[in-house]
Amino acid sequence: MNEPIPDTKPSIRILDDATVHLIAAGEVVDRPVSIVKELVENSIDAGSSRITVDVSANRGEISRIRIVDDGKGIPPEEIPLAFIAHATSKIRSSDDLETCLTLGFRGEALASIAAVSYVTLVTSTSPSRPATRYRVTGGEVVECSETGAPPGTSITVEEIFYNTPARRKFLKSLHTELAHISAVVESFACLYPHITFRYLVNSQEKFSTHGGSSLPDIFRALHPDEAGSMIPVSRDEGDIRLSGLVSLPGLVKQNRQQILIGVNGRIVQSPAITSAIKRAYGSLVPSASWPVSVLMLTLPPAMVDANIHPTKREVRFSAEKKILDLIVRIVRDSLAGADIIGCAPDGGRSDQAELPERTGYAGTGRIPYQSPVSTARKVCETALSGYRTTSRQLLQTRIQDIPESQPDERFPAMYWIGQVGGTYIIAGGDDGSLYLIDQHAAHERVRYEQVKNQESLHLKTQELIAPVVLNLTPSEVTLLSSVLQVIEEEGFILEPFGQDTWCVRGVPVILGRYEDPETIREIISSILSGDEAPVRLKEQVLRLVACRSAVKAGAVLTPEQGMDIITQLSRTLDPWTCPHGRPTVIGFPAPDLARMFRRT
Ligand code: ADP
Ligand code: MG
């Protein structure tokens, strides 16, 4: 047999400059939102007091991004330099990194953006000098002319990723990209309350903030429903400063997306800081839930390294443990100083009145004034309304009972003994065994099987007696359109009700016509805060409906209610775990009890 002839052409080659440049550019601008982030950072670095982000979409894609600022502008003779990779006005050498206070320093953004799209820059440094218009398309300068424009800079980016079709193909849906952009602009607005931000999509204003506001004002404008559950954090410790807002334990999310962390004015993703915040709450929030927070950490630049990744999204600290411990301590102290009783599920939202009026938000949904109620009355009302909620949930479950289901014969007969911690049912078995049942997990299992069963019966929707109005943030509105179909397939009926406002007219049968508006809001907002793929989304909706419609941990049960849960659980196909896999029942068989007391 003949040996194959070896290929004599060299297999390792040095890439040409254009290819190297394109690969590097791809790291900085991996998706449209990165362009927005880089350009807004440049506008902030230029000392702007007004920044407008204007995005246009066409045929399911982002067709144009324009950022306009009133900053110091770029002198005409320096414009060509600004587009060259690693050209920056912000540092001179690596030594400056230690003291650098600007967001940019790598000199890569404009060069990278121009490498993957068509860019038009109009900039002016003073009202007495003409502005310059400069266009780069396909890597070539095609225009450099004088024009009239106010001081500041406007950068228009079109034909995004025109020369990297693979990148373009992998972009998520338009809704997802727009939601990311909206979230980034919201984040900058929170981190820079003194700057006026405007965000427009297809020339329509989605939101704007008034420069000169405080963080609570801005937060209230962006998240009117949540502002009342936020408490301030503010502390200086040596040269480290932590400030911002964190939520009372009553306001949590199923994921970390509503944790915004700013380090020296930079939006960062820091799993370490996120878990420090979570750690501060300890057992105040369930293990799979995260509080809402906007926290800004300011520290000497020498203590933080932002130069880990081209996008500067991650940072490293030189004294990480000290900083993380400090965050835990400060957040914990802030929580300790707050009135936590005020955040009980139904009574808590009334402290919204203490925050200032919302400002500059082109939405609807002014929060009505609610007079403060005494703590004692609040607690009492909470307990009563908790009892009513539990009764309604159990009644609803019984109405929907699965007709032909038989009790699982492995499920022991039990009688009610009592309840401990408002959370566990204590039950006895005829054979002298003792059982502890997690009331929420148990009822969640019942609800879950009912929701699934309802699927096959094609019994989907029930109209609400009173429609529930949702005031959404701009990014939630955007996300809603992308998940609407799945939500509707599961039985919700949602209709637009004016700008940023939607109205829920129908819910899955399982929730019932009288469902508490707060539960419905919670379900929708949990769906909107997840970034689930469509297949998983359906399962997520099922689980959420099951979870939120189930009797809560902390609800005091009457013996009848407790027995109801036990009986319903015994009829499920899989009574031993909740839909998330946690146990529902823990048994102490009689012989074990005897052994524990050394009777045998
Ligand atoms: P970097 O921000 O890391 O310096 P960029 O490529 O983002 O790099 O920008 C290059 C240079 O262009 C900046 O250093 C700055 O001098 C100038 N520049 C960019 N955008 C603006 C703007 N909006 N206003 C004023 N100058 C700008
Ligand atoms: Mg920059």
Side-chain angles (χ1 to χ4, degrees):
M1 234 173 46
N2 287 341
E3 287 286 308
I5 302 162
D7 188 354
T8 48
K9 271 194 261 159
S11 54
I12 301 182
R13 264 159 271 156
I14 296 175
L15 294 173
D16 61 71
D17 284 351
T19 311
V20 171
H21 194 35
L22 199 62
I23 293 173
E27 282 185 32
V28 182
V29 283
D30 52 354
R31 56 200 300 181
V33 67
S34 320
I35 297 178
V36 174
K37 175 189 161 285
E38 291 293 336
L39 295 181
V40 171
E41 287 188 349
N42 281 346
S43 297
I44 294 172
D45 282 346
S48 310
S49 60
R50 301 182 67 85
I51 299 175
T52 301
V53 177
D54 180 356
V55 178
S56 302
N58 190 9
R59 279 183 268 123
E61 280 186 344
I62 292 181
S63 52
R64 196 190 71 189
I65 294 173
R66 174 178 288 159
I67 316 282
V68 183
D69 69 44
D70 63 353
K72 66 180 183 205
I74 310 177
E77 60 283 5
E78 292 188 13
I79 297 174
L81 262 182
F83 282 91
I84 292 176
H86 315 296
T88 177
S89 58
K90 300 171 191 174
I91 58 170
R92 301 259 166 257
S93 73
S94 62
D95 296 341
D96 295 344
L97 281 177
E98 296 265 298
T99 50
C100 172
L101 288 171
T102 50
L103 298 172
F105 57 79
R106 297 172 58 110
E108 280 181 317
L110 288 186
S112 303
I113 295 169
V116 296
S117 59
Y118 290 10
V119 177
T120 307
L121 166 87
V122 175
T123 185
S124 159
T125 51
S126 109
S128 56
R129 286 182 70 180
T132 310
R133 188 177 149 86
Y134 191 85
R135 280 178 64 212
V136 189
T137 62
E140 307 246 325
V141 182
V142 294
E143 184 183 344
C144 178
S145 59
E146 286 192 357
T147 183
T153 303
S154 109
I155 297 188
T156 308
V157 183
E158 288 156 306
E159 302 292 333
I160 300 162
F161 299 129
Y162 77 96
N163 54 351
T164 46
R167 173 68 46 90
R168 201 165 171 160
K169 212 164 67 200
F170 280 101
L171 289 181
K172 293 264 174 60
S173 73
L174 176 64
H175 291 305
T176 312
E177 296 300 330
L178 285 175
H180 282 295
I181 294 177
S182 178
V184 156
V185 184
E186 279 177 34
S187 302
F188 277 121
C190 287
L191 296 188
Y192 293 89
H194 65 280
I195 298 179
T196 296
F197 281 91
R198 277 184 81 207
Y199 176 54
L200 297 95
V201 176
N202 288 337
S203 312
Q204 231 198 336
E205 181 171 301
K206 292 293 168 186
F207 63 85
S208 66
T209 60
H210 285 315
S213 314
S214 63
L215 172 62
D217 290 343
I218 305 279
F219 189 89
R220 156 150 304 220
L222 296 172
H223 306 277
D225 291 345
E226 294 173 352
S229 305
M230 304 297 287
I231 55 166
V233 172
S234 171
R235 174 101 61 90
D236 289 284
E237 291 238 353
D239 42 14
I240 302 177
R241 173 169 173 69
L242 186 72
S243 63
L245 297 169
V246 294
S247 62
L248 288 165
L251 175 63
V252 290
K253 299 280 162 174
Q254 305 310 306
N255 60 40
R256 296 157 233 223
Q257 280 179 2
Q258 278 223 54
I259 296 185
L260 166 63
I261 301 164
V263 174
N264 286 350
R266 216 183 276 292
I267 301 170
V268 304
Q269 248 114 59
S270 168
I273 297 184
T274 305
S275 50
I277 298 171
K278 172 92 170 122
R279 200 144 36 97
Y281 281 75
S283 58
L284 285 174
V285 300
S287 61
S289 305
W290 279 268
V292 175
S293 49
V294 179
L295 280 180
M296 298 183 265
L297 183 67
T298 317
L299 70 180
M303 289 181 77
V304 37
D305 181 3
N307 198 16
I308 297 171
H309 191 267
T311 62
K312 296 170 268 166
R313 270 193 290 250
E314 289 163 34
V315 288
R316 216 169 272 154
F317 300 103
S318 56
E320 182 166 277
K321 183 157 182 338
K322 177 181 155 193
I323 291 168
L324 296 178
D325 288 347
L326 192 71
I327 294 175
V328 175
R329 191 150 42 79
I330 298 176
V331 173
R332 205 170 269 170
D333 289 352
S334 308
L335 288 168
D339 174 15
I340 299 217
I341 292 178
C343 70
D346 294 313
R349 301 204 170 245
S350 53
D351 42 19
Q352 279 167 342
E354 286 153 31
L355 270 121
E357 279 282 277
R358 61 206 300 255
T359 56
Y361 190 69
T364 50
R366 186 168 287 275
I367 295 163
Y369 178 83
Q370 289 170 306
S371 68
V373 265
S374 79
T375 306
R377 220 181 101 200
K378 237 191 230 173
V379 171
C380 185
E381 276 171 5
T382 305
L384 249 180
S385 86
Y387 171 77
R388 275 189 235 116
T389 307
T390 306
S391 298
R392 198 188 50 231
Q393 284 164 333
L394 289 172
L395 182 68
Q396 195 63 36
T397 316
R398 237 177 295 139
I399 294 171
Q400 297 298 321
D401 214 345
I402 309 164
E404 60 279 277
S405 66
Q406 287 302 314
D408 186 321
E409 67 243 16
R410 292 164 307 162
F411 199 90
M414 294 180 195
Y415 58 89
W416 165 270
I417 296 176
Q419 188 196 25
V420 62
T423 303
Y424 308 104
I425 297 169
I426 311 171
D430 294 340
D431 59 353
S433 303
L434 175 72
Y435 299 97
L436 289 176
I437 298 164
D438 181 320
Q439 66 195 44
H440 173 72
H443 198 221
E444 197 178 3
R445 163 56 66 189
V446 175
R447 293 307 245 166
Y448 181 72
E449 292 200 0
Q450 288 184 325
V451 185
K452 293 218 110 165
N453 192 54
Q454 164 196 311
E455 286 265 283
S456 55
L457 293 176
H458 301 289
L459 270 177
K460 286 261 159 103
T461 301
Q462 178 136 23
E463 269 197 38
L464 286 170
I465 291 284
V468 173
V469 175
L470 305 169
N471 291 315
L472 302 173
T473 64
S475 53
E476 285 175 332
V477 171
T478 319
L479 264 174
L480 181 61
S481 352
S482 63
V483 298
L484 193 60
Q485 198 191 340
V486 182
I487 302 184
E488 294 197 329
E489 278 166 15
E490 295 315 310
F492 288 94
I493 306 176
L494 273 88
E495 283 167 7
F497 197 63
Q499 199 182 9
D500 298 335
T501 310
W502 282 66
C503 164
V504 184
R505 308 190 62 81
V507 293
V509 175
I510 204 92
L511 287 175
R513 323 173 62 193
Y514 296 94
E515 188 47 78
D516 177 23
E518 218 37 66
T519 308
I520 294 173
R521 285 196 191 101
E522 249 176 60
I523 293 177
I524 303 287
S525 95
S526 301
I527 295 169
L528 293 181
S529 61
D531 203 358
E532 297 282 356
V535 216
R536 304 255 335 261
L537 182 64
K538 185 180 142 80
E539 177 67 17
Q540 193 201 3
V541 175
L542 293 184
R543 286 190 187 178
L544 269 168
V545 169
C547 174
R548 298 307 145 90
S549 65
V551 169
K552 295 193 169 49
V556 176
L557 299 179
T558 62
E560 293 73 30
Q561 292 175 334
M563 269 321 289
D564 229 359
I565 295 177
I566 296 175
T567 314
Q568 290 174 3
L569 179 66
S570 74
R571 297 208 184 143
T572 57
L573 295 174
D574 193 1
W576 313 106
T577 57
C578 77
H580 313 284
R582 287 193 296 111
T584 49
V585 188
I586 293 179
F588 299 84
D592 288 3
L593 290 175
R595 216 168 305 126
M596 284 179 212
F597 288 98
R598 306 225 182 105
R599 286 179 157 275
T600 54

